[in-house]
């Protein structure tokens, strides 16, 4: 028997429930709670589309104010566990387990859902289109991608094929992976005339998790597509540039003049709602949550909105300089008047409104004072 927060779970095989994905589940409970209580979706109908043991739906019902949920599970033996766990947690009147696939269900049901959880093995791509058919206006979609080798650049061809995007394969890959996934969701959603607003998106261990609100309307859908763009990276100086719109023919570094590599297209809109991230961070402050999880939620909440970050060890290496502390660079940039923060995506990096010139100046000044 496995216990996690309010849920008691039994399973035939560990492959259907990963205890290491607890942060993903805890953060999702916090966001569903935010959606139900703060965004006032008190009668939200939830679909756990890849339920396995049912742990997520059980927790959303017991902890986050969800009164009605449907769980889908394609695997026969996982489905047996799901049905037994729903009964074990005394939720038979509130959770309906269905032994079927997302594809079959989405093409037959008449019901639309206000909260949809998609947590498959590997890429979520084969399921998103079908789920959008049963998404209500204003719905919360929560999507996991564990194909990080694809999204984070180790398998570039697969990323072009699945996500129609060129991935980055350096330290920027964690945020670019999240933004490629969000770009894919935005493009698919737009085909159904949904615009998206991102409540949160993070990288943890070996998965990316995205939380978006989908709003119906041709205008909303077009505005979402306007958030698509590309990111440029200079291998000469470490410069990072983003721009919305179509791919450029060429991109020159405005610091050292080299030709920059560019990647995407990807989502360049906001990847955080301040209110949702603050809510989640406070949620982890409650007793019973692991301290390490609280720190990740705080780091997500403390991040500034600037897209991407400067990986300080890569820049000092290009400068042929000694290493410097990331906190010190962040403080120097803040003191120079540039909004700056650390980032949960990569611990040796700084997000900042400053340009590469200012970052390099901050590194040089830090090194001078080290002597
Ligand atoms: C990673 S597990 C889900 C884990 C669970 N959400 C948790 O937090 O413990 C993915 C589950 O989705 C099921 N699945 C995969 N493809 C599916 C599909 N197309 N329709 C319904 N279920 C599917 C798998 O059988 C598996 O049980
Ligand atoms: Zn450059």
């Amino acid at each position: 028997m496995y216990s996690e927060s309010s849920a008691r779970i039994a399973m035939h095989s560990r492959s259907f429930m990963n205890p290491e994905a607890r942060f993903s589940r805890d953060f999702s409970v916090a966001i569903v709670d935010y959606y139900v209580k703060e965004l006032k979706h008190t009668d939200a109908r939830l679909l756990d589309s890849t339920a396995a043991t049912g742990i997520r739906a059980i927790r959303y019902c017991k902890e986050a104010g969800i009164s009605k949920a449907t769980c889908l599970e394609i695997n026969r033996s996982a489905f047996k566990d799901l049905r037994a766990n729903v009964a074990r947690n005394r939720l038979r009147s509130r959770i309906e387990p269905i032994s079927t696939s997302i594809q079959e269900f989405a093409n037959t049901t008449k019901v639309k859902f206000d909260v949809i959880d998609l947590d498959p093995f590997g890429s979520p791509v084969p399921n998103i289109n079908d789920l959008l058919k049963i998404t209500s206006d204003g719905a919360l979609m929560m999507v996991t991608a564990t194909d990080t080798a694809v999204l984070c650049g180790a398998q570039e061809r697969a990323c072009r094929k699945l996500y129609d995007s060129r991935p980055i394969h350096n330290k920027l890959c964690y945020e670019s992976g999240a933004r490629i996934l969000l770009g894919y969701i935005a493009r698919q959603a737009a085909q159904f005339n949904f615009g998206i607003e991102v409540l949160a998106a993070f990288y943890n261990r070996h998965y990316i998790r995205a939380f978006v609100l989908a709003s119906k309307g041709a205008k909303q859908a077009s505005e979402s597509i306007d958030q698509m763009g590309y990111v440029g990276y200079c291998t000469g100086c470490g410069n990072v540039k983003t721009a919305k719109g179509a791919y450029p023919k060429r991109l020159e570094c405005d610091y050292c003049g080299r030709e920059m590599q560019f990647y995407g297209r990807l989502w360049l809109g906001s990847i955080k709602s301040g209110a949702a991230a603050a809510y989640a961070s406070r949620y982890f402050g409650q007793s019973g949550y692991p301290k390490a999880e609280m720190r990740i939620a705080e780091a997500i909440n403390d991040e500034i909105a600037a897209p991407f970050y400067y990986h300080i060890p890569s820049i000092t290496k290009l400068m042929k300089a000694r290493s410097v502390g990331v906190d010190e660079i962040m403080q120097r940039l803040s003191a120079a008047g540039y909004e700056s923060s650390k980032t949960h995506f990569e611990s040796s990096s700084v997000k900042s409104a400053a340009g590469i010139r200012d970052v390099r100046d901050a590194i040089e000044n830090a090194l001078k004072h080290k002597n």
Side-chain angles (χ1 to χ4, degrees), residues 122-152:
S123 174
V125 162
N127 303 308
I128 287 178
N129 191 280
D130 280 307
L131 289 175
L132 283 161
K133 297 174 187 166
I134 49 170
T135 298
S136 75
D137 186 9
L140 166 66
M141 298 186 84
M142 305 184 285
V143 177
T144 310
T146 59
D147 56 338
T148 51
V150 175
L151 285 163
C152 297

Side-chain angles (χ1 to χ4, degrees), residues 4-22:
E4 184 178 284
S5 197
S6 66
R8 307 281 167 272
I9 299 295
M11 65 203 111
H12 284 97
S13 159
R14 276 260 155 182
S15 64
F16 290 108
M17 209 291 307
N18 183 358
E20 290 197 359
R22 173 162 185 186

Side-chain angles (χ1 to χ4, degrees), residues 234-239 253-258 260 356:
C234 178
T235 50
C237 70
N239 199 0
C253 176
D254 55 10
Y255 178 74
C256 76
R258 275 191 200 223
M260 291 175 104
I356 186 71

Side-chain angles (χ1 to χ4, degrees), residues 23-316:
F23 179 71
S24 166
R25 289 187 288 270
D26 286 349
F27 200 95
S28 304
V29 169
I31 295 289
V32 172
D33 198 62
Y34 170 78
Y35 181 78
V36 170
K37 293 176 190 155
E38 295 291 306
L39 301 186
K40 313 254 180 278
H41 292 272
T42 42
D43 290 327
R45 229 195 141 97
L46 182 139
L47 178 71
D48 187 350
S49 71
T50 42
T53 63
I55 188 167
R56 288 182 189 240
I58 289 169
R59 291 193 56 191
Y60 298 140
C61 285
K62 285 181 153 183
E63 298 169 38
I66 292 292
S67 46
K68 279 267 176 246
T70 300
C71 285
L72 309 181
E73 178 47 57
I74 197 173
N75 179 285
R76 285 288 163 86
S77 92
F79 179 75
K80 280 188 195 148
D81 289 343
L82 166 63
R83 207 171 36 193
N85 286 325
V86 169
R88 180 172 289 112
N89 286 271
R90 300 185 188 286
L91 287 168
R92 268 205 293 224
S93 61
R94 288 162 63 190
I95 298 181
E96 183 187 14
I98 309 181
S99 172
T100 188
S101 70
I102 291 169
Q103 289 69 19
E104 198 169 278
F105 181 75
N107 289 306
T108 46
T109 184
K110 298 263 180 305
V111 182
K112 295 223 189 287
F113 291 88
D114 311 303
V115 181
I116 296 182
D117 195 321
L118 173 59
D119 181 46
F121 296 126
S123 174
V125 162
N127 303 308
I128 287 178
N129 191 280
D130 280 307
L131 289 175
L132 283 161
K133 297 174 187 166
I134 49 170
T135 298
S136 75
D137 186 9
L140 166 66
M141 298 186 84
M142 305 184 285
V143 177
T144 310
T146 59
D147 56 338
T148 51
V150 175
L151 285 163
C152 297
Q155 294 170 11
E156 179 175 332
R157 279 171 69 80
C159 193
R160 286 176 183 272
K161 181 186 72 175
L162 282 177
Y163 296 93
D164 191 20
S165 187
R166 182 179 183 210
I168 302 183
H169 196 30
N170 63 26
K171 294 285 183 184
L172 299 180
C173 71
Y174 309 109
E175 184 165 333
S176 75
R179 289 180 181 277
I180 289 171
L181 172 64
L182 288 166
Y184 181 84
I185 297 171
R187 287 198 310 271
Q188 291 294 307
Q191 292 173 19
F192 289 82
N193 259 340
F194 281 114
I196 67 161
E197 179 198 341
V198 183
L199 295 185
F202 61 79
Y203 183 100
N204 186 238
R205 292 175 184 265
H206 298 293
Y207 67 89
I208 291 166
R209 180 90 166 147
F211 301 83
V212 310
L213 294 178
S215 323
K216 202 89 192 178
K219 183 169 166 281
Q220 286 88 335
S222 295
E223 281 170 3
S224 240
I225 294 304
D226 291 342
Q227 304 305 313
M228 297 297 293
Y230 58 90
V231 55
Y233 178 72
C234 178
T235 50
C237 70
N239 199 0
V240 183
K241 283 266 169 246
T242 58
K244 290 177 184 164
Y247 254 15
K249 283 236 157 41
R250 245 184 121 250
L251 189 63
E252 199 170 275
C253 176
D254 55 10
Y255 178 74
C256 76
R258 275 191 200 223
E259 196 165 329
M260 291 175 104
Q261 297 289 312
F262 47 87
Y263 305 90
R265 293 195 320 143
L266 38 70
W267 173 260
L268 285 180
S270 166
I271 57 167
K272 188 172 88 176
S273 135
Y279 193 90
S281 176
R282 281 199 303 277
Y283 208 87
F284 280 91
Q286 297 172 64
S287 64
Y289 285 96
K291 282 268 180 303
E293 290 196 351
M294 194 173 89
R295 281 194 289 275
I296 306 171
E298 277 172 4
I300 292 168
N301 185 35
D302 290 345
E303 277 176 29
I304 64 164
F308 288 95
Y309 41 81
Y310 295 102
H311 181 241
I312 303 302
S314 297
I315 300 172
T316 50

